[in-house]
Amino acid sequence: MRKEIVFNGVIRYGATQILLILICLLSSAAADAQTIQSSHYRIPNHNCNNVIIRESGAGTPVISYHSHSLPYGARFMYGDLNSGTVKEFIIYDTNTAANNTISYAVNDMRVVGDMCYFCGMRVYTHGEPDPETGGVVKDSVGVLGRFPLDPSGFGGRVKFDLKHVHGTKCLSRMATYVYGTDTLLAIIGIVDQPTSQSCLTVARVNGLNPWQYNVLYPNVSAAMDVFTDIAIDAHKTTIASYQKANGGRDHFCLRSSRNFMLDFDTYTDFDNLYKYSVSPLTTNDTCVRLVRPEYADVRLSAVPWEKKVYAAFMASEDSCPTSLYRTAMCEIQTSDMLLTNAQVVQRLYKDAHSLVDMKYLYRTFGTESGASVALLHLADDDYNTIVEYPNALVSSYSGVVPKVLVQMHGKNRMRSVSAYGDNVRFGGVWEAPAPVLTCLQEDLPPVHSNSQCMINCDADIKTVRGPQEPQPLDSPLQKFYSNMLDLNWDAKSSSTTSEAVTNECSY
């Protein structure tokens, strides 16, 4: 197998570049007659966490978060941030007898047509401490919900559905697929079973048939298989995982099943575990042996019209005297599960778990030319938010030293990235002077461009050409239920309120 490797050093950042972002933040420049390329918004008086951003089919932002301010609860915001026509509704936290509390956490959202689906968990906290340990007693169940998106925005009231997904403790990441009258929601989480951490929940509707769902999880022999992300391309539903066992740092794993098997009567496609070796990717370098440190999560993003996913994770070069980490990204063809190439961004991080989200970005739907992948990091240095944009296609790089765009922001802690074409959206928390809800939208700039609401830099990229065949393993999943259970939506109603939006930066 022939491999071509390009390696260069780590980028440095100068005072001139730092000055650019300070100018941007201190001056909210008015947009000229041209189309706005970059806008940074802040929603005051919303102390929060768990921020997730998505968008409607027309590109209107949809944001969820959990409030740390009264009234407490899971909140959903929808509307045009630029014009300020934004409304939200709340699923309130509840105080019960004996100081017990019930709260809802939203972990992921997806938009299908005019409906926004979300998943998370309902947490029940006991007011009385555990009599044996004295600790706080909590119990949880996974939840699945939805609410409609009107093109004109939320009205005075909104209806939403919220269902407990029995057999689960928590639902964390979701992906969706639509084919004709069939809709599929595939969600990973934690099963309500002491022998396994991870599970897959499949909920679906087929034409006029009712919504149904089932829960699957690795059997006892595969209990150390930890699911970290899920994505759906034009061909398959793919689950990323790692094995929490000896040697698990040297591999990451994928499971895939064909999308058109919406009835999932046997789920046998998911029984095939594909194990990819990390270490051999750079064997030609004397001081580069990649490992996945501290069981760092593997993130996924799919190409919506191709049989392809991208998997990214933090990697260390453990034969070197350093504890710093870089981002590795692999391209996998889901038609045959071949790893066609890998890329390593030559920027160093202190935290092995800094990679929090990723998103495939395209300029024209159906065309991979010019596409990139946003790799969102939450760092603990002067720049809290760092985003790397490696090219999706290795063949797109030009020049002797390939470069990728890197963007940074020092006051935001962004935890979610989404996109409307190549218009990128970030949702998170503005930390100065208080942690309040914030989001940023921008048209993706070229590598060497002037800074706008985030400072633009670049980094070298090391590319490793494949292909690499995975090691197939038989690792069956078992059903929590013998048959799919009915999922009967139960509509609830909530009042909406208008929200003020401050435009912090605009170009």
Side-chain angles (χ1 to χ4, degrees), residues 43-53 62-78 87-93 104-107 109 116 118 147 154 158 160 437 494-499:
I43 296 86
N45 304 318
H46 285 69
N47 190 329
C48 63
N49 64 359
N50 278 27
V51 181
I52 303 164
I53 188 166
V62 187
I63 304 170
S64 75
Y65 63 99
H66 195 275
S67 175
H68 289 170
S69 305
L70 289 172
Y72 303 114
R75 301 188 180 204
F76 299 89
M77 189 174 293
Y78 176 53
K87 288 191 175 184
E88 75 168 9
F89 74 91
I90 307 173
I91 302 176
Y92 293 98
D93 291 356
Y104 292 91
V106 177
N107 294 327
M109 295 194 305
C116 181
F118 60 93
F147 56 89
F154 288 149
V158 64
F160 67 93
L437 179 64
S494 178
S495 299
T496 64
T497 57
S498 298
E499 296 300 322

Side-chain angles (χ1 to χ4, degrees), residues 90-149:
I90 307 173
I91 302 176
Y92 293 98
D93 291 356
T94 303
N95 291 319
T96 65
N99 293 322
N100 298 335
T101 61
I102 297 173
S103 61
Y104 292 91
V106 177
N107 294 327
D108 204 358
M109 295 194 305
R110 289 291 185 272
V111 175
V112 177
D114 61 354
M115 192 70 70
C116 181
Y117 295 91
F118 60 93
C119 69
M121 62 180 174
R122 173 190 184 271
V123 180
Y124 180 75
T125 305
H126 299 257
E128 297 292 335
D130 186 297
E132 295 183 3
T133 66
V136 176
V137 180
K138 293 187 177 182
D139 196 9
S140 67
V141 62
V143 296
L144 179 62
R146 66 179 184 178
F147 56 89
L149 297 175

Side-chain angles (χ1 to χ4, degrees), residues 20 62 83 92 198 216 256 399 409 430 473:
L20 289 173
V62 187
S83 65
Y92 293 98
S198 298
L216 300 94
S256 285
H409 204 301
W430 172 287
L473 300 173

Side-chain angles (χ1 to χ4, degrees), residues 272-338:
N272 298 315
L273 183 70
Y274 297 93
K275 191 174 180 180
Y276 298 84
S277 177
V278 175
S279 296
L281 292 178
T282 53
T283 52
N284 291 346
D285 274 339
T286 58
C287 194
V288 180
R289 192 182 81 86
L290 292 180
V291 296
R292 234 181 9 84
E294 301 179 22
Y295 300 112
D297 285 346
V298 181
R299 295 300 181 196
L300 284 180
S301 187
V303 183
W305 62 86
E306 287 286 342
K307 303 172 183 179
K308 183 186 297 186
V309 296
Y310 289 89
F313 50 89
M314 298 307 294
S316 65
E317 300 175 355
D318 68 345
S319 59
C320 298
T322 179
S323 59
L324 300 178
Y325 312 103
R326 297 183 172 99
T327 320
M329 185 179 77
C330 303
E331 178 184 319
I332 296 101
Q333 304 287 341
T334 57
S335 55
D336 53 15
M337 302 309 294
L338 280 179

Side-chain angles (χ1 to χ4, degrees), residues 476-490:
L477 300 181
Q478 59 191 57
K479 293 182 181 180
F480 197 90
Y481 306 107
S482 59
N483 296 303
M484 296 191 81
L485 300 185
D486 288 342
L487 180 67
N488 299 313
W489 296 110
D490 183 18

Side-chain angles (χ1 to χ4, degrees), residues 172-173 188 197-198 226-229 240-242 244 251-253 292-300 311-315 326-328 352-358 377 415:
S172 56
R173 309 275 289 189
I188 60 171
Q197 296 185 54
S198 298
V226 181
F227 298 170
T228 61
D229 211 347
S241 66
Y242 65 81
K244 198 168 184 179
H251 304 86
F252 70 92
C253 303
R292 234 181 9 84
E294 301 179 22
Y295 300 112
D297 285 346
V298 181
R299 295 300 181 196
L300 284 180
F313 50 89
M314 298 307 294
R326 297 183 172 99
T327 320
H353 305 279
S354 70
L355 181 65
V356 294
D357 207 359
M358 66 183 295
H377 292 267
R415 297 201 64 95

Side-chain angles (χ1 to χ4, degrees), residues 42 59 68 75-77 83 101 142 180 196 202 258 273 321 356 398 408 416-417 419 421-422 428 437 441 452 487 500:
R42 184 159 59 102
H68 289 170
R75 301 188 180 204
F76 299 89
M77 189 174 293
S83 65
T101 61
S196 176
V202 179
R258 292 168 288 173
L273 183 70
V356 294
S398 60
M408 301 180 293
S416 174
V417 58
D422 69 340
L437 179 64
Q441 299 179 209
Q452 296 180 359
L487 180 67

